[in-house]
Amino acid sequence: YPANPKDKKQCVQLVGGAANSPCTGIWTSFSPLARPTEVEFEFTMNGKVDLPNACVVFTQTEFLGALPDCKIGVQFSVRGGMQLSGGGGNLIRISNDGKIQNDKWNKVLLKIDWKEKLVVGQVDTKGKGYAPAIQTVPFRDSTCEGFGFLYIYNTDMHGTCWFHSLRVKQERDAEFADTDALDARAFLAKRLQQRQYQKAVDADMAVGMKMGAIKSTAQHGMNLAEEQRANNYVK
């Protein structure tokens, strides 16, 4: 596609999207989590583009019905121009070298800074090389520690897109995300939260026992500490 032999390339076609139906095209997974420094792809499209089309999304966790829950790192789409979704889902336009034309191939280069959790997007819609980047875009979700899944899809029922190539580059000396360490940190955080809660409960109990030692209850003659022991006694 397209029919013109000069522009014709082998590609994957995504047609007949549906509104509010993300991640319904093609997908793949990475294990362990990958931390690529560059993502580059080439696509074309046509149609009204009333809804996000030519979507390329990298997430840490699997899509199970709610895209924001997947810890999205990079989210690219086309709707009124090429866009990246930054922190909080804010759409930031990255196309700056002309309007997208039907059936003309476009290249996108995304450079990823894992230390700062930033993406620098560059586009080439004319086949003359990448235009300078407009600005950096923060990760959609700053808690994303690596990419476990890639989704490519189209949600526009009146639009079609074609992908010719996709390149995901990770430096040879770059480390894969340590999922064991991430799980360990989550476990320690949970334990710390539990210990802080228990500490607060123990403090409340200590205050209650001190007050109970001063004054007995009128109903049964036991002080508060004795009453608590009686209530917690199991035969």
Side-chain angles (χ1 to χ4, degrees):
Y1 187 87
N4 183 355
K6 182 180 178 181
D7 300 321
K8 190 174 183 179
K9 297 182 179 183
Q10 291 187 340
C11 53
V12 172
Q13 181 186 49
L14 297 174
V15 63
N20 301 317
S21 58
C23 306
T24 52
I26 58 177
W27 67 278
T28 190
S29 60
F30 307 97
S31 181
L33 298 180
R35 284 188 169 184
T37 54
E38 286 186 4
V39 173
E40 185 177 32
F41 51 91
E42 188 173 9
F43 76 98
T44 186
M45 57 183 298
N46 63 35
K48 295 178 64 177
V49 196
D50 290 329
L51 296 170
N53 197 347
C55 303
V56 178
V57 180
F58 287 87
T59 69
Q60 179 174 325
T61 60
E62 183 180 3
F63 173 75
L64 297 174
L67 191 56
D69 295 341
C70 299
K71 294 188 177 182
I72 304 169
V74 174
Q75 183 174 7
F76 170 91
S77 64
V78 177
R79 185 181 182 184
M82 302 185 210
Q83 302 173 329
L84 287 173
S85 294
N90 295 323
L91 295 176
I92 300 174
R93 188 168 180 170
I94 62 171
S95 52
N96 62 339
D97 72 337
K99 187 177 180 180
I100 297 176
Q101 300 181 39
N102 287 348
D103 302 334
K104 293 296 183 181
W105 291 101
N106 308 280
K107 287 185 177 181
V108 177
L109 176 62
L110 305 176
K111 296 181 180 180
I112 304 170
D113 182 341
W114 282 97
K115 182 178 180 180
E116 301 296 334
K117 303 286 183 73
L118 294 174
V119 183
V120 177
Q122 295 176 267
V123 304
D124 176 12
T125 62
K126 302 180 184 300
K128 297 181 179 180
Y130 287 108
I134 301 175
Q135 66 182 95
T136 59
V137 180
F139 274 21
R140 170 74 185 269
D141 188 336
S142 61
T143 66
C144 177
E145 297 294 341
F147 298 156
F149 295 85
L150 163 63
Y151 298 95
I152 302 175
Y153 59 94
N154 165 27
T155 65
D156 193 336
M157 63 187 73
H158 300 297
T160 305
C161 62
W162 295 260
F163 281 85
H164 167 62
S165 62
L166 171 70
R167 177 178 65 89
V168 179
K169 175 185 176 181
Q170 178 157 308
E171 300 294 343
R172 183 180 298 273
D173 58 349
E175 295 183 358
F176 285 89
D178 187 351
T179 53
D180 290 338
L182 294 176
D183 293 340
R185 285 198 293 271
F187 174 76
L188 290 174
K190 184 176 181 180
R191 287 289 302 226
L192 179 59
Q193 186 179 32
Q194 291 174 338
R195 290 178 65 182
Q196 290 174 336
Y197 173 78
Q198 187 60 46
K199 185 177 180 180
V201 171
D202 292 343
D204 289 344
M205 288 289 291
V207 172
M209 293 178 71
K210 183 177 181 181
M211 292 175 62
I214 297 174
K215 183 177 180 181
S216 296
T217 59
Q219 288 82 359
H220 42 58
M222 292 188 294
N223 63 32
L224 183 57
E226 293 168 338
E227 182 180 354
Q228 289 171 337
R229 284 196 297 270
N231 291 335
N232 292 330
Y233 176 71
V234 179
K235 293 182 179 182

